[in-house]
Structures are given as C-alpha cells and as structure tokens.
Amino acid sequence: MVFFRLSPVPGSGLVVLCLILGAISSYALELNLTNSKNATCLYAKWRMNFTIGYETTSKSNKTVTISDLGNATYNGSICGDDQNGPKIEVQFGSVFSWTVNFTKEKSTYLIESISFSYDTNDSTTFPDAKKKGIFTVHEPVAFRIPLNDIFRCNSMLTAEKKDVIQHYWDVHVQAFVQNGTVSTKEFLCDKDKTSTTVVPVTPTTLPSPTTTPAQKEKPEIGSYSVNNTNGTCLLATMGLQLNMTQDKVVTVINIKPNTTDFTGSCHSQTALLRLNGSNIKYLDFVFAVKNENRFYLKEVNVSMYLVNGSVFSIANNNLSYWDAPLGSSYMCNKEQTVSVSGAFQINTFYLRVQPFNVIEGKYSTAQDCSADEDNFLVPIAVGAALAGVLILVLLIYLIGLKHHHTGYEQF
Ligand SMILES: *[C@@H]1O[C@H](CO)[C@@H](O)[C@H](O)[C@H]1NC(C)=O
Ligand SMILES: *[C@@H]1O[C@H](CO)[C@@H](O)[C@H](O)[C@H]1NC(C)=O
Ligand SMILES: *[C@@H]1O[C@H](CO)[C@@H](O)[C@H](O)[C@H]1NC(C)=O
Ligand SMILES: *[C@@H]1O[C@H](CO)[C@@H](O)[C@H](O)[C@H]1NC(C)=O
Ligand SMILES: *[C@@H]1O[C@H](CO)[C@@H](O)[C@H](O)[C@H]1NC(C)=O
Ligand SMILES: *[C@@H]1O[C@H](CO)[C@@H](O)[C@H](O)[C@H]1NC(C)=O
Ligand SMILES: *[C@@H]1O[C@H](CO)[C@@H](O)[C@H](O)[C@H]1NC(C)=O
Ligand SMILES: *[C@@H]1O[C@H](CO)[C@@H](O)[C@H](O)[C@H]1NC(C)=O
Ligand SMILES: *[C@@H]1O[C@H](CO)[C@@H](O)[C@H](O)[C@H]1NC(C)=O
Ligand SMILES: *[C@@H]1O[C@H](CO)[C@@H](O)[C@H](O)[C@H]1NC(C)=O
Ligand SMILES: *[C@@H]1O[C@H](CO)[C@@H](O)[C@H](O)[C@H]1NC(C)=O
Ligand SMILES: *[C@@H]1O[C@H](CO)[C@@H](O)[C@H](O)[C@H]1NC(C)=O
C-alpha cells in the first residue's frame, strides 16, 4: 500500500489518498518479435482492457470486464513474409483472444485492423449466457505511420462495437522495424498532439525546429515524504518535469504523482528522496547539510527506461540548489530548473522541501526563492531612500529659511 498526499497549494490542507496501486493499474503488455536472424522485426508495448456485455438466460444483462492481462501469451504473432503481413496475437486464458495486423505501403505502414474474440461457452466467465459460442468483433483501425517511426499514443483510445468496449492507452508500436533497431522517432496519435491532459511522455521529437508541439503542460503537484522511527523526517511537495536530450532528441516527461512511488532515508548530515515509476527506474534527490546551519540539494541521480528498451542514467553530486537554513523549509512557486547535466534537467513547479528537522510531519517556516529576487529591488529601495533624504533636506532647508526669516522679524 502506498500513501500519497496531494495538495493543490503546497502546505495547505492535505488530502490523504490511499491507493492500492496493484488493483488500479492494469498490466502493460509487451512484445519484442524477432525474425530468424534474431533481429527485432516488431516491437509493441501497450495497455488495454475490455468490457463485454451479454444477455443471460433470465433475460437480464451482465457485463464482464477484463483488465488483468498479466498471464497473456503471444502465440501466433509473426514477423510476416511475402504473403502475410506482421501480426500480433494475444491470448488470455482459453476464453479471449486479440489480434492486430499490419500492412506495408511505399513509405508508410498501416495498423490495419483489430479483432477481439470471446467464448461465452466458458461458464465461469460468462455465467448463464443465453447465446453460447465464439463471438468476434472487428475494428478497422487504419492508422498510417511513416516507415521507421514508432507509433505512440499515451492518450486513451476507445472503440465500441456491438457488445464490446475496448480501451487502449500507453501504446507504443513499430512494425517493419529496420535493421533490428526500434526507432526513437515517435509518430504521435492526434490525441497526444492536442491532449490537454497530462501525459507521461511528451517528446519534442520533431525534425524541424520551427514546429513546436503543444507540450507546455505543467506537471501535477505531488507530495512525497520519508519516515523514520520518529515519524516523518522529510517532506517534499512539487510538480516535476524531466527534460532529457539524447542524440539531439529532446524528451520531456511530466511525473504523474499518483503512479509514482517514493521512498528514502534520513540521516543527520544527508537525506534521500527516491522516486520511481513505470518510466523511471529511480530518481534520487540527495540533500546535505553545510556549515552546520543550512541544507541544500547536493545530488541528483537518475535512471530512466527509454521507449526502445535501453536505459538512460546520469548523476551529479556537485549541485547546489534549494538552499535554506536548517529548521526551515525551502519554497519556490515559480518554475525553477535544476540542471543536472547538459543532457538532463529537472523543471520544478510549486516546490516546497524540508529534508531535515521536520517536526510533527509539518513544514516549518519557508524560505522563499523570491527572496533571492528581492536583491533586484535594492537599487529601487536605495533610490527611494535617496529621494526621501533629498526631500527631507529640502524641507529642513525651507523650514530653516522660514525660521531664519521669522527670526529676523522678531529681531
Ligand atoms: C479500463 O482502463 C481505463 C483507463 O485506465 C479505466 O478508466 C477503465 O475503468 C478501465 N475499465 C475496466 C473495465 O477496467
Ligand atoms: C503458447 O505459448 C506458451 C508459452 O509461450 C506455451 O507454453 C504454450 O504451449 C503455447 N500454446 C500453444 C497452443 O501453442
Ligand atoms: C487483417 O485482419 C482483417 C480482419 O481479421 C482481415 O480482414 C484482413 O484481411 C487482414 N489483413 C491482412 C493483410 O492479413
Ligand atoms: C539499415 O541499413 C541499411 C544498410 O546498412 C542502411 O542503408 C539504412 O539506412 C539503415 N536503415 C536505418 C533506418 O537505419
Ligand atoms: C528519534 O528521536 C530521539 C529523541 O529526539 C533521538 O535521540 C533519535 O536520534 C531520533 N531517531 C532518529 C532515527 O532520528
Ligand atoms: C509516516 O508517518 C506519519 C506519522 O507518523 C504517518 O501518518 C504516515 O502515514 C507515514 N507515512 C508512510 C509513508 O509510512
Ligand atoms: C529541454 O532541454 C533543452 C536542452 O537543454 C532545452 O532547449 C529546452 O528548452 C528544454 N525544454 C524544457 C521544456 O525545459
Ligand atoms: C491520477 O490522477 C489523474 C488526475 O488527477 C486521474 O485522472 C487518474 O485517474 C489518476 N490515476 C490513478 C491510477 O489513480
Ligand atoms: C518502484 O520500485 C518498487 C521496488 O523496486 C516496485 O515494487 C514498484 O512497483 C515501483 N513502482 C512503480 C510505480 O513502478
Ligand atoms: C528485442 O530482442 C532483441 C533480440 O533478443 C534485442 O536485441 C533487443 O534489444 C530487444 N529490444 C527490446 C526493445 O526489448
Ligand atoms: C535507444 O535510444 C537511445 C536514444 O536515441 C539510443 O542511444 C540507444 O542506442 C537506443 N537503444 C536501442 C537498443 O535501440
Ligand atoms: C546512483 O545510484 C545508483 C543506484 O543506487 C548507484 O549504483 C550509483 O553509484 C549512484 N551514482 C552516483 C554517482 O551516486
């Protein structure tokens, strides 16, 4: 069980959400098909679930939902040859099967159609089904993708036909993989391009630098904490956006708090907050104490899974961010960037952290990053003070003059 505390404004009324992750997330399916030379010809990773409605012998309607696809097999999936195109076949149990086929065109390939079959003869899955037999729904898809691009759709795609509702999301698929190397060039579904909801992966993988895709989404704010035997010892509330550059390809990922786990540890001189999620093997924030009276972010150590299966890792233990006195918290509502390396940076939003001296699970007074900015106000303040002094001098002079004058009269 994992606890998340989410709050729209850092530090304000925390809502405690208790998520049993395993019960919510459905399984990602993954297939890496190789040809006779052991080179990848088709790669796919995706999530799906189904809802099937059927009529019972007592004339009522029932629905069956399938979302736990952990025990799927992929028998019948083929790379394709001159006669047949590539095909993914998935079986779950003996009751359900699912097929998608692909065809190649001149410079594109097509996700041609999807078929889904279910067997109502199985009385444990379909108790009292009135009509018994194998039913199949065909869904023409016709997604056209440039050859050598990987299709990606994190958004939800829904197909509803006859008695079956199909949901697909977090889809990554490439057929006709060239030279056995899965492409890093993503071809997005329209929904991902225009999506106003936060998607976990939003790459700016476009050849032309003039095309800036809609990806200014801010990340959701997550609340993270670490406990030791004395209770909560580290608190962090922040929206996190990761920006990595690899082979000149920039990938921006918003961390989704409710699908991200966190752990950590607290010591007297260092504290660690570690996040992990489906794309993130680990993302470590290491805090340290300096001069015995201040803390700061000293190290970030990250390891991420890329779409094509390889791992991206970077660490820097010579950072100096989020500096504040011990016994207080550090806060920064505006967007800030932690530059870990030339190839990896973290954009933070509505940040508040306290890695040491947390009392009763609550943040202590905050040192705000905008205090740094007050320095810009200094010249203005000095100017204003000077003007004040000038006016004062002038006043004294005038009063003095008047005094002098009256003095003369009295004389
Ligand atoms: C299918 O997945 C979607 C997205 O996670 C979810 O909203 C929906 O409730 C799921 N349906 C079933 C039947 O599990
Ligand atoms: C399907 O594949 C699994 C493992 O991949 C294998 O154990 C099983 O025998 C296969 N079934 C058929 C019908 O080929
Ligand atoms: C793909 O599947 C659909 C439906 O099962 C079928 O009609 C079509 O002929 C198949 N295409 C290829 C190239 O196998
Ligand atoms: C695949 O290899 C061939 C020959 O080595 C090369 O011409 C082609 O550009 C490569 N394709 C990709 C997508 O790397
Ligand atoms: C817990 O609190 C006690 C008393 O304040 C302190 O001596 C001890 O070191 C603390 N333990 C940890 C793990 O912080
Ligand atoms: C940490 O400790 C606090 C207070 O002792 C408790 O409310 C909270 O549930 C704990 N959090 C975790 C993640 O164990
Ligand atoms: C991501 O990093 C690249 C390279 O440092 C930079 O040009 C780009 O503006 C950054 N994007 C975001 C959203 O931070
Ligand atoms: C995560 O949060 C988003 C928005 O707050 C919500 O739409 C989504 O259903 C949540 N997902 C899970 C697995 O709770
Ligand atoms: C985070 O890592 C733990 C332990 O390695 C793992 O059990 C958990 O599933 C991971 N969480 C996510 C969201 O992937
Ligand atoms: C797919 O399998 C091939 C051969 O086993 C391997 O070289 C490749 O790295 C795998 N790719 C992915 C994305 O898992
Ligand atoms: C995956 O993509 C990265 C970044 O483009 C690249 O450096 C790496 O070699 C690729 N790995 C595989 C197995 O294709
Ligand atoms: C980063 O973390 C990994 C896993 O904990 C560890 O093996 C590695 O040494 C760390 N790297 C640095 C530079 O701290």
Side-chain angles (χ1 to χ4, degrees):
M1 207 170 334
V2 182
F3 292 90
F4 291 98
R5 291 187 295 166
L6 298 170
S7 62
V9 180
S12 81
L14 298 170
V15 184
V16 178
L17 286 179
C18 176
L19 294 181
I20 303 153
L21 276 179
I24 293 165
S25 62
S26 69
Y27 286 79
L29 296 141
E30 188 170 17
L31 178 63
N32 179 0
L33 261 186
T34 52
N35 61 19
S36 51
K37 291 177 196 127
N38 210 23
T40 302
C41 67
L42 187 152
Y43 176 77
K45 186 172 177 180
W46 75 107
R47 287 167 191 256
M48 61 182 177
N49 66 21
F50 306 92
T51 304
I52 305 157
Y54 69 96
E55 200 185 335
T56 63
T57 44
S58 55
K59 296 223 158 151
S60 64
N61 289 317
K62 275 194 179 170
T63 57
V64 170
T65 62
I66 317 151
S67 54
D68 181 352
L69 307 175
N71 53 358
T73 58
Y74 302 90
N75 301 355
S77 302
I78 51 166
C79 284
D81 51 34
D82 296 341
Q83 273 85 49
N84 305 295
K87 190 163 73 163
I88 301 175
E89 284 201 15
V90 183
Q91 305 82 35
F92 4 105
S94 55
V95 183
F96 307 101
S97 69
W98 182 89
T99 305
V100 57
N101 60 12
F102 303 83
T103 48
K104 191 174 178 176
E105 294 172 332
K106 218 174 186 173
S107 59
T108 55
Y109 65 98
L110 214 61
I111 304 179
E112 194 177 281
S113 78
I114 289 175
S115 303
F116 174 67
S117 299
Y118 54 100
D119 187 353
T120 58
N121 287 308
D122 187 276
S123 54
T124 40
T125 315
F126 297 98
D128 328 314
K130 191 177 159 199
K131 289 189 210 149
K132 297 213 179 271
I134 295 172
F135 296 87
T136 300
V137 284
H138 291 286
E139 191 65 44
V141 182
F143 272 127
R144 200 166 254 107
I145 303 150
L147 272 178
N148 207 32
D149 278 13
I150 183 165
F151 174 75
R152 187 202 88 189
C153 197
N154 288 320
S155 307
M156 177 87 65
L157 299 171
T158 304
E160 197 167 347
K161 201 150 214 189
K162 293 185 189 155
D163 301 320
V164 181
I165 303 169
Q166 310 176 36
H167 291 297
Y168 301 93
W169 70 103
D170 284 352
V171 177
H172 303 269
V173 60
Q174 186 182 3
F176 306 101
V177 172
Q178 285 173 34
N179 301 346
T181 308
V182 176
S183 180
T184 50
K185 201 162 147 227
E186 293 184 325
F187 181 80
L188 308 191
C189 63
D190 288 345
K191 257 188 161 174
D192 273 14
K193 283 183 206 152
T194 59
S195 180
T196 53
T197 59
V198 177
V199 291
V201 181
T202 322
T204 46
T205 317
L206 286 180
S208 152
T210 50
T211 17
T212 11
Q215 83 71 202
K216 279 288 163 195
E217 281 320 316
K218 283 191 182 176
E220 276 174 58
I221 298 157
S223 288
Y224 311 100
S225 63
V226 177
N227 283 0
N228 64 10
T229 47
N230 285 353
T232 304
C233 58
L234 179 154
L235 287 169
T237 310
M238 54 202 173
L240 293 172
Q241 185 176 67
L242 312 182
N243 179 351
M244 49 181 182
T245 311
Q246 258 213 327
D247 301 338
K248 291 182 184 159
V249 176
V250 175
T251 310
V252 177
I253 296 171
N254 284 344
I255 292 192
K256 277 186 166 178
N258 61 0
T259 55
T260 303
D261 285 346
F262 54 90
T263 55
S265 58
C266 300
H267 305 283
S268 62
Q269 297 296 310
T270 60
L272 164 75
L273 172 66
R274 165 171 288 193
L275 310 187
N276 76 310
S278 55
N279 296 325
I280 303 165
K281 196 170 164 197
Y282 54 82
L283 169 57
D284 288 357
F285 294 92
V286 181
F287 299 88
V289 171
K290 70 173 177 191
N291 303 334
E292 289 176 2
N293 61 5
R294 297 185 77 85
F295 70 81
Y296 67 107
L297 176 69
K298 184 177 191 302
E299 175 176 352
V300 168
N301 184 354
V302 68
S303 190
M304 317 246 321
Y305 300 110
L306 301 179
V307 173
N308 66 4
S310 51
V311 174
F312 172 93
S313 299
I314 267 177
N316 185 341
N317 65 3
N318 201 15
L319 302 173
S320 186
Y321 290 98
W322 308 350
D323 186 313
L326 277 178
S328 68
S329 59
Y330 177 86
M331 185 159 127
C332 199
N333 283 334
K334 63 172 186 186
E335 179 176 351
Q336 241 191 348
T337 299
V338 172
S339 189
V340 180
S341 80
F344 184 76
Q345 64 187 52
I346 304 172
N347 301 324
T348 62
F349 301 80
Y350 300 104
L351 171 80
R352 189 165 185 185
V353 288
Q354 185 167 350
F356 299 99
N357 306 63
V358 174
I359 298 163
E360 287 172 355
K362 291 197 187 81
Y363 283 110
S364 308
T365 42
Q367 161 145 331
D368 199 302
C369 63
S370 62
D372 311 341
E373 274 178 13
D374 288 348
N375 296 334
F376 293 110
L377 295 176
V378 167
I380 298 168
V382 168
L386 277 180
V389 166
L390 209 73
I391 289 166
L392 204 71
V393 166
L394 210 68
L395 272 175
I396 290 168
Y397 173 75
L398 286 174
I399 290 166
L401 210 69
K402 201 176 171 209
H403 208 76
H404 211 69
H405 192 67
T406 38
Y408 262 103
E409 265 183 2
Q410 270 178 356
F411 205 73

